[in-house]
């Protein structure tokens, strides 16, 4: 299936992790993909994989927190690939540390990249899509857009902010009866290189909170959302669903649970390497390509039943209705047997 054949797609944060897997996924369906990130080596590796998958790749080294540079990148995409049909915001950075160990300038930097980078990308995409009269914007979010966890206050704050601004924008587009769509995909813990290059002040090596999913699972969620953008958001992974439901029902209880478990669950037993790369201020993959996956392949799931279920509500409801109808048909027979 080539849903995106002939489409022009922009993916920010495309040099690794979810962004890279997403770009490759669009390439597999014949899209022309603009890969935006800071790291030249990571971008080059991602471009090779997109083209090997059957897509056309354009790499642009850009910091998404720089509005003017990002706008210039979008102009180049239009010039070399054509009008932008789909814009996917993925790029982020973070700091793993307790709140009182994060410096003001570090908090500012995380916010500029992980929140304002999405805002700027959305502004730039929306401006062009309005002139074209069509387009789709996909925000890659997280279960942490709803549920803050310890040691990631800067990242959680950015994801909460993205959730709020995207909801506001969606209401405005609906009010205007705009043909442009925006949707959000809330992600679980994913096996990405970020845990090898994030700025960390933890005593041990950082890890995603299990269960962990491969980036390709996340990418399938993004591609589905891009093809079906009428839904306000999609959830990827059973852990995302469980976290959001638990937070809606018993947020105070979840606070206490995370206070007990959240520090240990985000660290491996091995001490952190004080010389590990840090991508907060400059790209960690400028000279070295880290690839799509992180260090957790052996522990990461390659599929999600919940993701399939979230994409097939109609099928599930129809199956449930058929099962209920079958039970109702059998119910009088059961009563008849009981009466005899």
């Amino acid at each position: 299936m080539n849903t995106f054949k002939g489409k022009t797609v922009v993916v920010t944060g495309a040099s690794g992790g979810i962004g890279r897997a997403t770009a490759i996924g669009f390439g597999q369906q014949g899209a022309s993909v603009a890969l935006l990130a800071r790291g030249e080596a990571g971008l080059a590796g991602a471009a090779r994989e997109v083209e090997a998958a059957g897509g056309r790749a354009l790499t642009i080294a850009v910091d998404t927190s720089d509005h003017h540079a990002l706008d210039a990148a979008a102009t180049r995409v239009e010039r070399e690939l054509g009008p932008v049909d789909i814009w996917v915001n993925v790029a982020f950075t973070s700091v793993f540390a307790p709140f009182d160990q994060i410096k003001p300038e570090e908090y500012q930097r995380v916010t500029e990249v992980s929140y304002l980078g999405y805002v700027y990308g959305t502004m730039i995409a929306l401006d062009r899509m309005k002139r074209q009269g069509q387009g789709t914007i996909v925000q890659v979010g997280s279960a942490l857009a709803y549920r803050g966890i310890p040691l990631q206050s800067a990242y959680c704050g950015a994801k909460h902010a993205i959730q709020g601004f995207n909801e506001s924008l969606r209401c405005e587009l609906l009010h205007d009866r705009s043909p442009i769509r925006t949707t959000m995909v809330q992600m679980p813990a994913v096996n990405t290189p970020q845990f090898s290059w994030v700025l960390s002040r933890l005593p041990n090596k950082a890890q995603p909170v299990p269960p962990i999913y491969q980036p390709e699972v996340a990418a399938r969620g993004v591609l589905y959302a891009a093809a079906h953008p009428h839904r306000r958001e999609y959830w990827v992974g059973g852990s995302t669903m469980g976290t959001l439901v638990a937070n809606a029902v018993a947020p105070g209880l979840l606070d206490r649970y995370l206070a007990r478990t959240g520090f240990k669950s985000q660290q491996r037993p091995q001490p952190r390497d004080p010389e590990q790369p840090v991508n907060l201020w400059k790209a960690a993959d400028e000279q070295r390509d880290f690839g799509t996956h992180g260090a957790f392949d052996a522990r990461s799931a390659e599929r999600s039943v919940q993701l399939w279920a979230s994409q097939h509500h109609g099928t599930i409801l129809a199956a449930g209705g058929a099962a209920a109808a079958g039970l109702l048909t059998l119910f009088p027979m059961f009563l008849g047997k009981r009466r005899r």
Side-chain angles (χ1 to χ4, degrees):
M1 183 175 66
N2 291 321
T3 304
F4 303 105
K5 187 173 180 61
K7 300 290 187 181
T8 297
V9 181
V10 174
V11 181
T12 72
S15 64
I18 294 173
R20 184 161 172 165
T22 297
I24 294 167
F26 280 115
Q28 288 171 337
Q29 296 198 27
S32 294
V33 188
L35 300 98
L36 276 54
R38 293 177 298 165
E40 296 278 7
L43 282 171
R48 287 192 294 271
E49 292 187 276
V50 168
E51 291 176 346
R56 180 184 176 192
L58 170 66
T59 63
I60 303 177
V62 64
D63 187 328
T64 58
S65 69
D66 184 336
H67 177 271
H68 295 295
L70 192 59
D71 189 56
T75 298
R76 182 180 166 193
V77 172
E78 290 181 309
R79 184 173 63 248
E80 298 190 28
L81 299 181
V84 176
D85 298 294
I86 300 164
W87 185 292
V88 184
N89 284 311
V90 188
F92 76 96
T93 189
S94 189
V95 177
F96 275 92
F99 173 74
D100 61 3
Q101 294 181 27
I102 303 175
K103 299 174 183 177
E105 59 270 23
E106 294 167 350
Y107 225 102
Q108 179 178 349
R109 175 63 176 161
V110 172
T111 304
E112 287 174 345
V113 175
S114 302
Y115 171 51
L116 291 180
Y118 275 55
V119 173
Y120 297 155
T122 302
M123 284 180 173
I124 290 164
L126 186 62
D127 179 60
R128 286 160 169 79
M129 290 174 181
K130 282 185 173 180
R131 295 199 298 265
Q132 297 161 198
Q134 63 86 33
T136 296
I137 301 168
V138 181
Q139 319 286 10
V140 173
S142 167
L144 306 188
Y146 289 94
R147 173 66 251 180
I149 64 174
L151 305 179
Q152 293 202 54
S153 61
Y155 178 83
C156 292
K159 290 300 181 184
H160 275 66
I162 294 165
Q163 180 72 21
F165 107 77
N166 188 65
E167 288 176 344
S168 180
L169 172 60
R170 186 171 189 271
C171 292
E172 293 173 6
L173 293 174
L174 289 170
H175 172 269
D176 295 340
R177 294 182 172 83
S178 173
I180 301 162
R181 305 297 176 191
T182 182
T183 187
M184 194 163 180
V185 187
Q186 311 296 12
M187 297 297 179
V190 180
N191 176 31
T192 75
Q194 72 144 322
F195 300 94
S196 299
W197 66 33
V198 70
L199 173 58
S200 175
R201 295 196 173 93
L202 305 180
N204 292 349
K205 292 182 178 180
Q207 70 169 12
V209 180
I212 307 167
Y213 294 84
Q214 293 288 27
E216 290 77 13
V217 177
R220 289 197 291 272
V222 174
L223 265 69
Y224 189 89
H228 305 84
H230 293 275
R231 282 258 299 273
R232 71 191 303 271
E233 70 177 27
Y234 292 88
W235 297 354
V236 176
S239 56
T240 298
M241 180 180 70
T243 298
L244 300 190
V245 170
N247 192 60
V249 174
L253 186 63
L254 198 51
D255 288 344
R256 290 171 174 79
Y257 172 78
L258 289 167
R260 291 197 307 271
T261 66
F263 281 66
K264 184 177 180 180
S265 64
Q266 295 185 78
Q267 298 182 71
R268 288 176 272 175
Q270 301 84 8
R272 175 178 57 85
D273 179 3
E275 301 301 319
Q276 77 172 36
V278 174
N279 83 331
L280 183 64
W281 303 107
K282 62 180 182 179
D285 56 350
E286 181 65 32
Q287 303 296 329
R288 170 191 167 191
D289 180 14
F290 283 76
T292 304
H293 292 196
F296 309 97
D297 277 336
R299 302 165 53 192
S300 299
E302 296 182 353
R303 57 185 54 85
S304 166
V305 174
Q306 180 278 332
L307 174 60
W308 181 91
S310 74
Q311 296 171 353
H312 297 85
H313 288 168
T315 301
I316 294 170
L317 289 172
L327 288 173
L328 289 173
T329 301
L330 294 173
F331 190 60
M333 297 171 57
F334 174 75
L335 285 178
K337 289 180 181 180
R338 290 288 300 272
R339 286 173 183 147
R340 288 197 294 273

